[in-house]
Amino acid sequence: MTLNLGKKTLKPSPRPSYTQPAQSVQELQARLGREKVLLERAQRRNYSYDGIAMGVTPALVVLPTCTADVVEVVRFANRVGLPIVARGAASGLSGGAVPVQESIVLSFTRMTGLHIDPQARTATVQPGVVTQQISEQARPHGLWYPPDPASFRTSTIGGNLAENAGGPLCFKKGVTGDYVEALEFVDFAGQVHRLERKAYDLAGLLVGSEGTLGLITEARLRLEPIPRYTRTLMAIFGEVGQAAEAVSEAIAAGAVPSKLEFMDNGCINAVEDYLRLGLPREAAAILLVDTDGDNPLIVEEELQWVAEACQQHGAAVRVAQDAAESEALWKARRSISPAIGAIKPKRLNEDIAVPRSSLPAVVRAIEALGRQYGLQVVQFGHIGDGNLHPNVLFDPRVDAEEKVWELLHEIARVALRHGGVLSGEHGIGLMKRDFMSEAVDPETLEALRRVKAAFDPHNRLNPGKVLPEPHSPAH
Amino acid sequence: MTLNLGKKTLKPSPRPSYTQPAQSVQELQARLGREKVLLERAQRRNYSYDGIAMGVTPALVVLPTCTADVVEVVRFANRVGLPIVARGAASGLSGGAVPVQESIVLSFTRMTGLHIDPQARTATVQPGVVTQQISEQARPHGLWYPPDPASFRTSTIGGNLAENAGGPLCFKKGVTGDYVEALEFVDFAGQVHRLERKAYDLAGLLVGSEGTLGLITEARLRLEPIPRYTRTLMAIFGEVGQAAEAVSEAIAAGAVPSKLEFMDNGCINAVEDYLRLGLPREAAAILLVDTDGDNPLIVEEELQWVAEACQQHGAAVRVAQDAAESEALWKARRSISPAIGAIKPKRLNEDIAVPRSSLPAVVRAIEALGRQYGLQVVQFGHIGDGNLHPNVLFDPRVDAEEKVWELLHEIARVALRHGGVLSGEHGIGLMKRDFMSEAVDPETLEALRRVKAAFDPHNRLNPGKVLPEPHSPAH
């Protein structure tokens, strides 16, 4: 069985195939309950892919309902010599939850415990809780959980923790890991660890480790009071560099917008083709900006700083007068995904982050790469953090997928050349592990491998992710 | 040579003494410059202690001025087989910077590079920068660096990073690690790593690791806009539990005070003896509360919520009408250290953190322990985080220091019994490493040891700190 990921045709590792006697599976079923263990091939196949990549059908799928179940599965995996791939809603965009060899998939979707403590301002969650649920349950107490990955209506908090997910709010509010007060995880040996964020901060290390260091079974997350006021503007620019400069200037002037979203010309036209919102097709860039806080005067003042900075850089600015108009402006941003999805049968979503000052050069370099490869590339992202999502649109019947992957690799290289990083918020996963050798010094890569070995000595936790294949067989 | 730490009389490890030929020291001097290497015993002795403990006089003290110097020292240490103990202003209160065996002390006080980037809102600092300097340099740009350990006028940021220091502001603003965007560190082999906070978050792991995993040589810290308004109140309670309940209630009502400080009766009387400020000697507890923000109305409203919660729990509340009065109220808090220092010749400062709901029980249990041991204990701390600093006051000519350490151990046990942790902000260091076995499950301790071994395979980075001595020689 091979894994088709464009140019990367991955073969399952030469590990001996899963040939344990059926008896041990029956034993697992007996311990966990029959309904938690999926054996039918048709069922198992549903657990072979995520939001971006197709992997190997797992040998076994387990749906734990508690930490003790997870411990059982880890012990079972150790007995039969199978790796474990953890998975939530599988909406991830880096292939992090995709099995690349015969594996046990541990699907956390039935671990949905959620407890809000309004006094302590915390949410204690199991990994299968849908991210949006946290804020919904917290709202009656005037609280919310700010991190807002685009997928938050479907993604699970376990996946958000595994990828340290961001979102439009992350410039002001920070990413998933900034809200973690404590974690419970099950290690490679089936031991349960309950961690506060004290020396050494193993909890922080687990966050963003994509299931390769341990299995997160519970987290205590910090909640915040809901800001009372929000204001929105849209700024339309004739040139990409002006948009980036306006953002830098507004931030330097003291504005901390809660959202700062960027769309390039390709993106604008895609949305316009899709919805006819009346966006200016000739514009080089659109910024969508929210400011929020508890003081309407200051929220307004911050918005004005941004508006002035945009106007000084040649933008036409539209300030939403009420919530309905704000909603209408944000509709353009929210429609990007379906809009660009309608252009070509397939797309691959890059996720780079670069210093804000490099954004104009990076956007232009990526445009040029698209032309060079003869592939359509549209760009949008969270410009406050310099987090850009160039999307390559293609038709697999016409465009060689290998070429698409080459282009993605070149886009990642543009980010690295401009002092950026490989991933803003989607994680490294399967998609970018081969780029890691270019992004990280060999000495630091070696340090990462030592950490992996310290947590997963037998390489059974989500193997084949994050870290690149060692070059020498000595590793 | 032995290390006197009360009941713990530590002998240097049986590692062979430092007997390398003088030639290699001369070589190090030649490479670094003679003035960076201290050889005189009288000079070296100054580097044997920190704010709380006395250690072994180091074999050699090096004062690097750049990362390349640090690399040289690590290579030299590896050649001659000596451990390295990193040190800043040595104001730490857990013995973290104290050598416990013949060592090279690396004193970072000459690495004082500090660059503010107002556009990016960051400060890039070398470890020897005095913490207060960061906010002072940032202030002209309307920015500040919020973490404020009590020592921030003298402590260095390297030490703050090593201990993940907190301070009165940490309830609202977070601790040192929350402001770290990127780190440079030198590893056990002399390799330089430059880390963003990406998977795996090694930067986060280095923060709070007390120099036992690597040597931090630079950090990029996030700065924040200075809040425009601050308001202060003092609340005087007849009973400790009422103070804790008032705090919980105000927080639940939506207040996020920027400072929330607690003083017990012993503390109040110590300050009153010292300064005659007119504090009520019969009060069981005083709360000092600041609210801050950009909107004077909301800052005032938040203060009112706190005032009302305090009054409902029987407190007399005094709201400062202006900055001068606020300053006068805070004078009581700021005088605690000199005030309790004047009572007895010596004191040892504990640093526990417990859930806010446990505070009344914990404060009472610690009071009872003080009576039981016949030692004076005063308590104060950052009540918003449940971070308490019980101080044991004693006269070494009268009180056996061993008994003081026993009492400290019992205080730590009270914290653990009430769901708390060993250290709120001072770190584990030397002082609490023996308590770690009681605070952390054996499995998690084993995971911590694996992490230590992955970063420091020869145990040369600040040995004898954080992790307890293994019980079996198998380790």
Side-chain angles (χ1 to χ4, degrees):
Chain A
M1 190 180 298
T2 59
L3 173 72
N4 195 336
L5 245 178
K7 71 167 178 170
K8 282 187 290 294
T9 301
L10 298 182
K11 288 195 185 61
S13 83
R15 178 192 298 278
S17 183
Y18 169 66
T19 53
Q20 297 299 314
Q23 198 193 337
S24 52
V25 176
Q26 280 162 4
E27 200 183 305
L28 185 72
Q29 281 186 315
R31 278 171 182 272
L32 299 183
R34 184 165 291 272
E35 74 292 352
K36 296 184 192 170
V37 183
L38 306 185
L39 294 174
E40 294 298 321
R41 183 171 170 74
Q43 288 181 308
R44 288 184 281 120
R45 201 184 298 143
N46 294 335
Y47 295 82
S48 62
Y49 51 85
D50 72 355
I52 201 155
M54 195 65 204
V56 174
T57 298
L60 207 67
V61 175
V62 184
L63 302 158
T65 59
C66 60
T67 301
D69 286 353
V70 177
V71 170
E72 285 292 344
V73 174
V74 172
R75 289 184 185 155
F76 172 80
N78 285 333
R79 280 202 301 278
V80 301
L82 277 176
I84 294 177
V85 180
R87 178 190 173 95
S91 53
L93 293 173
S94 62
V98 161
V100 295
Q101 63 188 67
E102 198 163 43
S103 307
I104 299 170
V105 162
L106 202 54
S107 175
F108 279 107
T109 47
R110 290 188 192 172
M111 282 181 71
T112 55
L114 168 56
H115 171 73
I116 305 289
D117 182 339
Q119 294 262 335
R121 288 193 176 167
T122 58
T124 301
V125 296
Q126 286 185 318
V129 169
V130 171
T131 311
Q132 186 181 32
Q133 279 297 314
I134 305 170
S135 285
E136 284 194 359
Q137 298 292 320
R139 192 178 304 130
H141 308 285
L143 300 170
W144 70 324
Y145 170 71
D148 61 338
S151 56
F152 76 103
R153 287 173 195 84
T154 51
S155 65
T156 55
I157 191 69
N160 292 183
L161 289 163
E163 305 295 334
N164 198 9
L169 282 163
C170 70
F171 172 62
K172 181 169 184 178
K173 304 288 183 183
V175 295
T176 305
D178 296 320
Y179 291 81
V180 175
E181 290 186 355
L183 272 193
E184 180 187 85
F185 83 95
V186 177
D187 73 11
F188 74 100
Q191 298 287 356
V192 181
H193 302 265
R194 295 189 68 90
L195 306 167
E196 306 272 333
R197 303 204 66 170
K198 291 289 158 196
Y200 307 137
D201 184 10
L202 300 194
L205 194 61
L206 264 285
V207 171
S209 70
E210 310 192 18
T212 64
L213 302 183
L215 301 159
I216 296 172
T217 45
E218 192 178 283
R220 190 173 77 234
L221 304 170
R222 182 169 59 82
L223 302 174
E224 291 199 347
I226 300 170
R228 302 181 197 187
Y229 303 96
T230 303
R231 297 279 275 131
T232 301
L233 68 74
M234 177 185 277
I236 295 155
F237 291 86
E239 206 264 318
V240 169
Q242 293 171 327
E245 279 157 26
V247 165
S248 288
E249 207 170 289
I251 291 172
V256 188
S258 56
K259 295 184 186 174
L260 248 178
E261 295 289 299
F262 161 85
M263 300 166 60
D264 78 347
N265 176 272
C267 216
I268 294 165
N269 278 287
V271 171
E272 203 44 30
D273 287 341
Y274 187 65
L275 285 183
R276 317 268 165 203
L277 296 173
L279 300 177
R281 287 183 176 275
E282 70 293 347
I286 283 180
L287 286 187
L288 269 159
V289 181
D290 268 7
T291 57
D292 75 1
D294 292 335
N295 179 344
L297 297 176
I298 290 175
V299 174
E300 178 65 33
E301 193 184 339
E302 276 196 279
L303 199 77
Q304 282 309 317
W305 290 337
V306 179
E308 281 162 27
C310 289
Q311 281 158 346
Q312 276 161 22
H313 288 85
V317 173
R318 240 176 82 188
V319 173
Q321 296 308 313
D322 53 32
E325 202 177 331
S326 161
E327 189 62 18
L329 293 181
W330 276 105
K331 192 170 184 186
R333 173 65 183 85
R334 279 204 318 279
S335 311
I336 291 176
S337 257
I340 62 181
I343 297 177
K344 297 265 183 174
K346 284 192 82 170
R347 63 171 175 126
L348 280 168
N349 186 351
E350 248 296 347
D351 166 50
I352 56 176
V354 298
R356 273 197 307 276
S357 56
S358 307
L359 272 169
V362 166
V363 168
R364 280 191 290 263
I366 292 172
E367 281 172 358
L369 276 174
R371 284 191 299 272
Q372 183 190 324
Y373 276 79
L375 287 163
Q376 189 173 352
V377 180
V378 301
Q379 304 187 59
F380 59 94
H382 319 309
I383 197 170
D385 285 325
N387 185 189
L388 212 56
H389 294 308
N391 273 238
V392 181
L393 316 181
F394 64 101
D395 183 341
R397 293 162 302 185
V398 179
D399 308 303
E401 210 154 327
E402 194 165 321
K403 203 169 69 170
V404 176
W405 282 95
E406 261 178 51
L407 173 54
L408 289 174
H409 199 151
E410 288 302 322
I411 290 172
R413 283 184 176 134
V414 168
L416 296 177
R417 270 205 304 279
H418 287 84
V421 295
L422 278 185
S423 166
E425 55 185 12
H426 296 172
I428 300 300
L430 185 59
M431 208 175 139
K432 293 189 177 171
R433 62 182 294 233
D434 288 349
F435 308 173
M436 282 286 276
S437 318
E438 290 170 54
V440 179
D441 289 334
E443 297 77 21
T444 302
L445 212 49
E446 196 44 47
L448 298 176
R449 288 192 204 285
R450 285 198 306 270
V451 170
K452 168 72 172 170
F455 278 84
D456 183 21
H458 313 307
N459 195 27
R460 291 239 177 83
L461 298 172
N462 209 3
K465 307 296 168 62
V466 185
L467 298 173
E469 210 63 60
H471 291 293
S472 79
H475 280 91
Chain B
M1 190 180 299
T2 58
L3 173 73
N4 193 337
L5 246 177
K7 71 168 178 171
K8 283 187 288 299
T9 300
L10 296 183
K11 287 196 187 63
S13 83
R15 178 191 299 278
S17 183
Y18 169 65
T19 53
Q20 297 300 314
Q23 199 192 339
S24 53
V25 176
Q26 279 161 4
E27 200 182 304
L28 184 71
Q29 281 185 315
R31 279 170 182 272
L32 299 183
R34 184 163 290 273
E35 75 289 354
K36 295 183 192 170
V37 184
L38 305 184
L39 295 174
E40 293 299 321
R41 185 172 167 73
Q43 289 180 309
R44 288 185 281 120
R45 201 183 299 141
N46 295 335
Y47 295 83
S48 61
Y49 51 85
D50 71 356
I52 201 156
M54 194 67 204
V56 174
T57 297
L60 207 66
V61 176
V62 184
L63 303 157
T65 60
C66 61
T67 301
D69 286 352
V70 177
V71 170
E72 285 292 343
V73 175
V74 172
R75 288 185 184 154
F76 171 82
N78 284 333
R79 278 201 303 277
V80 302
L82 278 176
I84 295 178
V85 180
R87 177 187 174 96
S91 53
L93 294 172
S94 62
V98 161
V100 295
Q101 63 187 69
E102 199 164 40
S103 307
I104 299 171
V105 162
L106 203 52
S107 174
F108 279 107
T109 47
R110 291 189 191 170
M111 283 180 69
T112 55
L114 168 57
H115 171 72
I116 305 289
D117 182 339
Q119 295 261 334
R121 288 192 175 167
T122 58
T124 301
V125 296
Q126 287 185 316
V129 169
V130 171
T131 311
Q132 186 180 31
Q133 279 297 312
I134 305 169
S135 284
E136 284 194 359
Q137 297 292 320
R139 192 178 303 131
H141 308 286
L143 300 170
W144 70 324
Y145 170 71
D148 63 339
S151 56
F152 76 105
R153 288 172 196 84
T154 50
S155 66
T156 56
I157 190 69
N160 291 183
L161 290 162
E163 304 296 333
N164 199 11
L169 282 163
C170 71
F171 172 61
K172 181 169 184 179
K173 306 287 184 183
V175 293
T176 306
D178 295 320
Y179 290 82
V180 175
E181 290 186 355
L183 271 193
E184 181 187 86
F185 84 95
V186 176
D187 73 11
F188 74 100
Q191 298 287 357
V192 181
H193 302 266
R194 295 190 66 89
L195 306 166
E196 306 272 334
R197 303 205 66 169
K198 290 292 158 193
Y200 305 138
D201 185 10
L202 301 193
L205 195 60
L206 265 284
V207 172
S209 70
E210 309 193 18
T212 64
L213 301 182
L215 302 158
I216 296 171
T217 45
E218 193 179 284
R220 192 174 75 233
L221 305 170
R222 185 167 57 83
L223 302 174
E224 289 199 347
I226 301 170
R228 303 181 196 186
Y229 303 97
T230 303
R231 297 278 275 132
T232 301
L233 68 73
M234 179 184 275
I236 296 154
F237 291 87
E239 205 265 317
V240 169
Q242 292 171 327
E245 278 157 27
V247 165
S248 288
E249 206 169 290
I251 291 172
V256 188
S258 55
K259 296 184 186 174
L260 247 177
E261 296 288 300
F262 161 84
M263 300 165 60
D264 78 347
N265 176 272
C267 217
I268 294 166
N269 279 288
V271 171
E272 203 45 29
D273 287 342
Y274 187 66
L275 285 184
R276 317 268 166 203
L277 296 173
L279 300 177
R281 286 182 177 278
E282 69 292 350
I286 282 180
L287 286 186
L288 267 159
V289 181
D290 268 7
T291 57
D292 75 0
D294 291 336
N295 181 344
L297 297 176
I298 289 174
V299 174
E300 178 65 34
E301 194 184 336
E302 276 195 279
L303 200 77
Q304 282 310 318
W305 289 338
V306 180
E308 281 161 28
C310 289
Q311 281 158 346
Q312 276 161 20
H313 288 85
V317 173
R318 238 176 83 187
V319 173
Q321 295 309 313
D322 53 32
E325 203 179 331
S326 161
E327 189 61 19
L329 293 181
W330 277 104
K331 194 171 184 184
R333 173 65 183 86
R334 277 203 319 278
S335 310
I336 290 176
S337 255
I340 62 182
I343 296 177
K344 296 265 183 174
K346 284 192 84 170
R347 63 172 173 126
L348 279 169
N349 186 349
E350 248 295 349
D351 166 50
I352 55 175
V354 298
R356 273 196 307 276
S357 55
S358 307
L359 272 169
V362 166
V363 168
R364 280 191 290 263
I366 292 172
E367 280 172 358
L369 276 173
R371 283 191 300 273
Q372 182 190 325
Y373 276 79
L375 287 163
Q376 190 173 352
V377 180
V378 301
Q379 303 187 57
F380 58 94
H382 319 309
I383 197 170
D385 285 326
N387 184 189
L388 212 56
H389 295 307
N391 273 238
V392 182
L393 316 181
F394 64 102
D395 183 341
R397 293 163 304 187
V398 179
D399 307 303
E401 209 154 327
E402 193 165 320
K403 202 169 68 171
V404 177
W405 282 96
E406 261 178 51
L407 172 53
L408 289 174
H409 200 151
E410 288 303 323
I411 290 173
R413 283 184 176 134
V414 169
L416 297 177
R417 269 205 305 278
H418 287 84
V421 294
L422 278 186
S423 167
E425 55 185 12
H426 296 172
I428 300 301
L430 184 58
M431 208 174 139
K432 294 188 177 172
R433 61 181 297 232
D434 288 349
F435 308 173
M436 281 286 277
S437 318
E438 291 170 52
V440 178
D441 289 335
E443 298 77 21
T444 301
L445 212 49
E446 196 44 46
L448 297 176
R449 288 193 204 283
R450 284 197 306 269
V451 169
K452 168 72 171 169
F455 278 85
D456 183 21
H458 312 307
N459 195 27
R460 291 239 177 83
L461 298 172
N462 208 5
K465 309 294 168 63
V466 184
L467 298 174
E469 211 64 58
H471 291 293
S472 78
H475 279 92

